[in-house]
Amino acid sequence: QKEVEQNSGPLSVPEGAIASLNCTYSDRGSQSFFWYRQYSGKSPELIMFIYSNGDKEDGRFTAQLNKASQYVSLLIRDSQPSDSATYLCAVNDYGGSQGNLIFGKGTKLSVKP
Amino acid sequence: DAGITQSPRHKVTETGTPVTLRCHQTENHRYMYWYRQDPGHGLRLIHYSYGVKDTDKGEVSDGYSVSRSKTEDFLLTLESATSSQTSVYFCAISASQGEAPLHFGNGTRLTVT
């Protein structure tokens, strides 16, 4: 069974700090990686996706991918209380389940004013 | 926001009754998915569709069936609801399988008493 692992948290950071969220995956063939944010009682919303090794930046968010070590991370700079949510990592199941996405259980982030 | 509508948004039903959840999209995406989300389990794929009348099972398909008679509509049916099917159900759509991100509907909260 392919797995996507995330620390459940809660991860607590002060306002203005950098929040670092990590995700490891078991399928070495995975090629597509996604980060979703989910507020309590709401549906997941896409923040970023990354396909290549290295960093991808979008505003205050940076996704980092290291395929050799099989981890992907999300950095949130200048964290705001509105960033408090659960962050889901998703990875495509290459070679199995027709490539559908496998989700981690999420990391709960709390940004304290 | 991706045009995805789930109905109903909330439903309470009794054990043993049939239940149908509907997902309607206006994006003309080929791929549609049904996930359930439960505490401690994260998002788990129930069934997905890769075209009209083309469907396949996901990780937790037992007790569920699906149908897709039109590109825009994907139905999830619980033939005989059980308490273990109490969950939040999300429909998602994607332009491609495993490569493009999923976009989620607002979810249906189902309670089976």
Side-chain angles (χ1 to χ4, degrees):
Chain A
Q1 177 71 17
K2 307 291 176 54
E3 292 185 337
V4 176
E5 300 285 346
Q6 295 182 255
N7 187 321
S8 61
L11 173 65
S12 184
V13 300
E15 183 174 356
I18 296 175
S20 178
L21 305 163
N22 299 312
C23 170
T24 59
Y25 58 95
S26 62
D27 185 358
R28 185 169 291 277
S30 294
Q31 299 181 11
S32 305
F33 307 87
F34 306 87
W35 282 101
Y36 288 83
R37 176 177 63 199
Q38 187 175 24
Y39 293 113
S40 180
K42 301 296 185 181
S43 60
E45 57 179 322
L46 180 71
I47 299 175
M48 293 191 69
F49 55 89
I50 186 168
Y51 300 133
S52 303
N53 270 335
D55 295 0
K56 179 181 179 182
E57 186 174 318
D58 184 0
R60 296 187 296 113
F61 299 95
T62 299
Q64 299 176 318
L65 174 61
N66 185 323
K67 289 186 178 180
S69 300
Q70 294 177 239
Y71 82 80
V72 57
S73 62
L74 179 70
L75 301 179
I76 307 175
R77 291 181 299 280
D78 187 24
S79 295
Q80 301 297 310
S82 59
D83 294 325
S84 298
T86 296
Y87 289 80
L88 307 176
C89 172
V91 176
N92 78 310
D93 184 10
Y94 181 81
S97 189
Q98 289 74 44
N100 289 320
L101 298 190
I102 302 173
F103 284 82
K105 295 178 182 178
T107 298
K108 188 172 184 178
L109 173 67
S110 177
V111 181
K112 303 296 186 183
Chain B
D1 291 344
I4 310 168
T5 304
Q6 289 186 235
S7 60
R9 292 296 313 278
H10 302 272
K11 186 169 182 65
V12 180
T13 192
E14 293 184 349
T15 298
T17 59
V19 177
T20 296
L21 308 183
R22 180 176 182 252
C23 178
H24 178 79
Q25 62 144 330
T26 58
E27 305 296 318
N28 200 35
H29 282 343
R30 178 181 176 186
Y31 297 91
M32 298 185 74
Y33 306 81
W34 278 106
Y35 284 86
R36 61 178 289 175
Q37 188 174 39
D38 305 286
H41 291 280
L43 281 162
R44 292 181 293 174
L45 181 64
I46 305 172
H47 281 280
Y48 67 98
S49 170
Y50 47 97
V52 174
K53 298 186 179 179
D54 292 323
T55 65
D56 205 349
K57 297 178 179 180
E59 177 188 358
V60 290
S61 60
D62 287 349
Y64 302 95
S65 62
V66 290
S67 65
R68 192 170 178 195
S69 59
K70 298 186 291 184
T71 298
E72 57 267 34
D73 290 327
F74 193 32
L75 303 181
L76 176 70
T77 297
L78 292 65
E79 300 292 346
S80 178
T82 68
S83 58
S84 65
Q85 293 176 313
T86 292
S87 186
V88 179
Y89 292 85
F90 288 105
C91 174
I93 64 174
S94 176
S96 67
Q97 191 172 23
E99 297 174 346
L102 299 180
H103 298 282
F104 288 86
N106 288 329
T108 294
R109 183 173 295 275
L110 176 66
T111 302
V112 183
T113 61

